[in-house]
């Protein structure tokens, strides 16, 4: 099995927001683009690996929230790499439609009032659009793995499933107090917003049944399979949306 080096890039302190670089045997893929202005931190992470923006072959955006898609348009300019995303969030990326937000608790409602999640970002049209449950093979971009549709956080959420059984799951779940912050970093929590917790549980359990053992998150993490399973079972017990 060809190994992929996973580099977690803290976009905000204490891993409150993460992007990830996947350094495969034949290429480099960026998963998520952070908030607007994150290109500087991503550039520094590349430099530590003796790479430049031009080494990135593909930009994957897991969903259309600003902390994941905020710098995507600018990074496409810098890298020349195509952007891959799912059609379920396409009109949000292009800014044709505003997103709706389903708070998961009191913290989420307070967080929403800060306006952070509502800040604008430069709209874009993805170059590669995942349709329905289509799976995209990443080997042509130098990374042994696939992109799959994992809805529930948003309708267009996607994940990266590596052959090493590591999974980059965006915001299917988060960890820690204050989103990966100061305590309980190994404890799974719901992200501030989530469209359908039962659908999230279904996707997490599917990933577990496919053999994935380590889950990399947009907020906090990474988490092991047992904690992810515990969280998925908790979500299954919540009232239906």
């Amino acid at each position: 099995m060809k190994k992929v080096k996973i580099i977690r890039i803290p976009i905000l302190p204490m891993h409150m927001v993460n992007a990830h670089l996947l350094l495969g045997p034949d290429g480099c893929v960026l998963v998520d683009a952070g908030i607007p202005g994150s290109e500087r931190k991503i550039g520094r992470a590349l430099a530590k690996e003796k790479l430049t923006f031009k080494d990135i072959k593909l930009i994957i955006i897991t969903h259309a929230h600003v902390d994941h898609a905020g710098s995507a348009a600018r990074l496409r300019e810098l890298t020349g790499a195509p952007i891959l995303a799912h059609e379920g969030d396409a009109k949000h990326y292009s800014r044709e439609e505003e997103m709706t937000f389903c708070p998961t608790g009191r913290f989420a409602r307070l967080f929403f009032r800060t306006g952070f999640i509502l800040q604008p970002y430069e709209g874009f049209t993805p170059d590669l659009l995942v349709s329905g449950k289509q799976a995209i093979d990443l080997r042509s971009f130098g990374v042994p793995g696939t992109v799959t549709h994992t809805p529930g956080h948003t309708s267009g959420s996607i994940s990266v499933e590596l052959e090493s059984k590591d999974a980059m799951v965006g915001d299917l779940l988060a960890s820690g107090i204050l989103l990966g912050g100061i305590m309980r970093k190994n404890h799974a929590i719901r992200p501030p917003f989530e469209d359908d917790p039962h659908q999230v549980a279904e996707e997490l359990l599917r990933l577990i049944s496919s053999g994935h053992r380590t889950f990399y998150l947009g907020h906090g993490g990474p988490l092991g399979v047992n904690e992810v399973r515990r969280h998925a079972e908790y979500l299954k017990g919540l009232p239906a949306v």
Side-chain angles (χ1 to χ4, degrees):
M1 181 188 302
K2 294 182 178 180
K3 185 66 176 174
V4 175
K5 183 176 182 179
I6 301 170
I7 299 172
R8 186 168 58 154
I9 305 172
I11 301 299
L12 291 181
M14 299 182 290
H15 296 286
M16 292 176 71
V17 174
N18 299 314
H20 292 87
L21 279 173
L22 305 180
L23 305 186
D26 302 303
C28 174
V29 169
L30 176 67
V31 181
D32 284 326
I35 59 177
S38 297
E39 62 271 12
R40 292 182 292 276
K41 291 182 178 179
I42 292 168
R44 287 197 291 270
L46 286 163
K48 287 181 181 179
E49 300 296 324
K50 296 182 170 51
L51 299 171
T52 71
F53 286 118
K54 296 301 181 182
D55 289 298
I56 293 177
K57 292 188 174 183
L58 179 68
I59 300 166
I60 298 170
I61 305 299
T62 59
H63 61 283
H65 288 159
V66 64
D67 48 337
H68 295 259
S71 292
R74 177 60 178 147
L75 284 163
R76 180 166 61 183
E77 293 176 6
L78 292 169
T79 64
I83 295 173
L84 184 150
H86 192 275
E87 64 180 0
D89 281 2
K91 289 186 178 181
H92 304 311
Y93 292 123
S94 64
R95 319 309 285 160
E96 293 176 57
E97 290 184 3
E98 292 186 4
M99 299 198 78
T100 57
F101 297 91
C102 300
T104 56
R106 182 172 178 270
F107 169 76
R109 291 188 287 273
L110 293 172
F111 180 57
F112 183 80
R113 288 179 196 146
T114 69
F116 175 86
I117 197 69
L118 299 174
Q119 65 180 299
Y121 62 84
E122 183 181 350
F124 61 91
T125 299
D127 304 281
L128 303 170
L129 210 55
V130 182
S131 175
K133 282 294 185 181
Q134 175 188 18
I136 303 295
D137 194 331
L138 294 177
R139 283 177 294 184
S140 60
F141 299 100
V143 171
T146 57
V147 173
T148 56
H149 185 210
T150 51
H153 179 61
T154 69
S155 61
S157 289
I158 54 178
S159 296
V160 178
E161 301 183 40
L162 297 176
E163 288 185 2
S164 60
K165 297 306 179 183
D166 299 301
M168 331 296 294
V169 299
D171 283 5
L172 287 188
L173 71 170
S175 79
I177 294 175
L178 296 178
L179 291 180
I182 56 176
M183 295 175 63
R184 303 193 79 189
K185 297 180 181 181
N186 296 321
H187 178 74
I189 60 172
R190 299 174 72 186
F193 310 102
E194 186 174 66
D195 284 359
D196 188 339
H198 289 178
Q199 196 169 37
V200 170
E202 181 180 323
E203 294 300 334
L204 290 174
L205 292 171
R206 180 190 65 78
L207 289 166
I208 290 169
S209 68
S210 297
H212 292 88
R213 291 295 175 263
T214 307
F215 294 72
Y216 290 82
L217 319 178
H219 308 285
L223 293 175
V225 62
N226 290 335
E227 180 61 13
V228 174
R229 182 183 290 110
R230 181 202 64 77
H231 182 71
E233 294 295 340
Y234 161 74
L235 293 178
K236 284 173 62 178
L238 293 175
V241 176

